[in-house]
Amino acid sequence: MFKKILIANRGEIAIRVIRACKEMGIKTVAVYSKADQFSLHIKFADEAICIGAGPPLDSYLNIPRIIAAAEISNADAIHPGYGFLAENAQFSAICEENGFCFIGPDSKTIDLMGDKVNARKVAEESEVPIVPGSNVLKSVDDLLEIANNIGYPVMLKAAGGGGGKGMRVLNNASESEKGFSIIQSEATKAFNNPEIYVEKFIKNGRHIEVQILGDKFGNHVHLGERECSVQRNNQKLIEECPSAFVDEDLREVLTSKALSLAKKVNYVGAGTVEFLVDEDKNFYFIEMNTRIQVEHTVTEMVYMIDLVKEQIKMHFGKEMSFNQDMIKSKGHSIECRLNAEDPFNNFIPSPKKIDSLNFAGGIGVRIDSYIYAGYQIPPFYDSLLGKLIVHSNTREKAIIKMQRALEETFIEGPNTTLPLLEMILSNNDFISGNFDINFLSNFLKKMKGEKIESSKEFDVYI
Ligand code: MV4
């Protein structure tokens, strides 16, 4: 097995990876920015190397400094976590060129799936249904003609985008005329790639993704699906495993299609195939994520498989120790993301000092976090403070457990998503499983204008 892994990340995911390494007897190297000198991942790792100033380009996105840290510490492998360099094909290649195993797919696979127009082609070749749409658009006229053929509304997307960035809904020809150059210039700025494409806009869909795992011997398994519909601007708030909307028949097709895609690209490691599922249970591939995801935890709870350990083993070159028949799901898991944002003021980040906090406990409750009382949240990074995850026999019991766990949890200092999460967990549509990707924006709309009152003393946020 690897002797030493460098974790090219921070926050809760750095700690998550360090925990897996410790249990596997692998030494860990943390890298950190000057803004993170009091972060917990430094304390948990065997070694820690400061790689620069707070802004990501000076530290967690700075490839030469991360490679230098791996050389100095004599690491065998680099785990990128999620975000930052996790889906950077160049970084994957540079790690390998310098003799460090990249714990993620090779640069070819990242490139292939990172280009969303290419990913659509691969899906089509794998007989995975895709949203009716186009290849790379050549001109506004090209867009107008294709949009007319598939019918409005359509969604204009950046080929280099994904994860909700660089996309816009177009309702008619005049919006198409305006949208083309806007999205094209956004795509150029954000992804250094002007290529854009168009898809039919799937209304009232659900965002459901399948977890897959592959080894270097061509073995692939799936670990069911996750329900990710409760999100805004592609920031998910709540995820579940399994999805209340997915019956056995739908699960069978979704997972087998995800496996076809994984096999087509010879996928190694942990990956996710994202689908939109409409009211009639038609489903469409939208993109593939070639990393461990924030919400991997709900799958872990239900399948009792440590995805980070498996990911590390697969990239080391071990053969998978189980087959599909040995993988059994049990019960239901829900994750709530705890972000330092004001949910009642457009989710504006709130990077303040944590004055005090209490995390929930008890049977079936898991906290993956990195904050502690007295910790000053740096302003440079994603506002995710941690994740509260519950597991129980049924969805109903998991909801009750989450309500209880949210009640026990408080974070004083910054504004957080906690009060909104409590409201959603007691919402009838959420409880009945009757929701789609519009749930959160509708929920927030209904909430607006109403006076928000707090019953609890520690609810200092509103
Ligand atoms: C879509 C879509 C509807 N139609 N594509 C957003 C995140 C990214 N992974 C894919 N996303 C979507 N792509 C087509 N053709 C709906 C979403 C979507 C979404 C859109 C608006 C508001 C919330 C959303 C939540 C999940 C997915």
Side-chain angles (χ1 to χ4, degrees), residues 187-200:
T188 311
K189 273 184 228 136
F191 314 112
N192 196 26
N193 178 359
E195 294 184 343
I196 56 175
Y197 66 107
V198 66
E199 281 180 355
K200 180 155 189 69

Side-chain angles (χ1 to χ4, degrees), residues 4-282:
K4 197 186 265 189
I5 296 178
L6 180 142
I7 297 100
N9 214 306
R10 65 178 301 280
E12 71 87 20
I13 193 61
I15 290 177
R16 170 72 190 84
V17 176
I18 291 169
R19 284 177 172 149
C21 290
K22 278 195 179 173
E23 292 179 16
M24 295 172 86
I26 301 168
K27 293 266 182 273
T28 52
V29 184
V31 293
Y32 65 98
S33 74
K34 281 178 185 150
D36 266 339
Q37 59 179 314
F38 300 112
S39 274
L40 219 47
H41 71 291
I42 300 174
K43 295 184 175 66
F44 287 4
D46 296 294
E47 295 168 57
I49 299 174
C50 182
I51 52 167
L57 286 172
D58 295 328
S59 47
Y60 302 106
L61 287 175
N62 192 302
I63 296 176
R65 289 181 190 173
I66 291 166
I67 296 293
E71 274 168 1
I72 291 164
S73 58
N74 202 23
D76 316 308
I78 298 180
H79 197 303
Y82 53 68
F84 293 126
L85 297 168
E87 289 174 282
N88 184 314
Q90 203 192 354
F91 183 58
S92 172
I94 290 171
C95 288
E96 298 292 337
E97 281 158 21
N98 285 277
F100 305 111
C101 175
F102 179 74
I103 301 180
D106 58 28
S107 62
K108 210 177 103 256
T109 308
I110 298 179
D111 252 341
L112 192 67
M113 298 321 265
D115 182 321
K116 304 305 167 190
V117 174
N118 250 331
R120 281 168 56 83
K121 284 190 192 123
V122 178
E124 221 174 3
E125 287 163 15
S126 317
E127 293 178 38
V128 178
I130 57 174
V131 188
S134 73
N135 287 322
V136 174
L137 294 168
K138 292 176 192 75
S139 62
V140 185
D141 288 341
D142 206 8
L143 167 63
L144 287 169
E145 192 189 320
I146 293 168
N148 242 333
N149 287 341
I150 58 184
Y152 287 100
V154 296
M155 206 170 196
L156 198 53
K157 298 182 172 187
K165 281 169 280 178
M167 45 183 72
R168 165 185 289 242
V169 180
L170 308 171
N171 291 297
N172 50 52
S174 109
E175 286 184 20
S176 287
E177 278 167 31
K178 284 187 221 117
F180 185 88
S181 58
I182 295 173
I183 288 292
Q184 194 174 55
S185 75
E186 272 179 26
T188 311
K189 273 184 228 136
F191 314 112
N192 196 26
N193 178 359
E195 294 184 343
I196 56 175
Y197 66 107
V198 66
E199 281 180 355
K200 180 155 189 69
F201 181 63
I202 307 298
K203 281 182 273 184
N204 312 329
R206 294 221 178 199
H207 188 197
I208 293 171
E209 56 189 33
V210 175
Q211 177 70 53
I212 56 124
L213 202 56
D215 67 13
K216 292 187 176 178
F217 302 89
N219 301 306
H220 294 91
V221 294
H222 73 80
L223 290 98
E225 82 284 357
R226 292 187 285 260
E227 170 63 69
C228 299
S229 298
V230 181
Q231 55 172 300
R232 64 174 284 281
N233 302 340
N234 207 54
Q235 278 282 81
K236 295 164 191 159
L237 259 85
I238 300 174
E239 301 99 341
E240 299 181 56
C241 177
S243 165
F245 191 68
V246 176
D247 55 36
E248 270 310 320
D249 289 349
L250 180 56
R251 179 166 304 113
E252 176 53 36
V253 269
L254 282 178
T255 55
S256 70
K257 290 298 177 187
L259 282 173
S260 305
L261 190 60
K263 286 195 184 295
K264 186 84 186 170
V265 298
N266 256 317
Y267 196 82
V268 176
T272 306
V273 182
E274 281 185 20
F275 296 98
L276 282 169
V277 184
D278 72 16
E279 295 144 296
D280 302 322
K281 304 208 169 171
N282 299 309

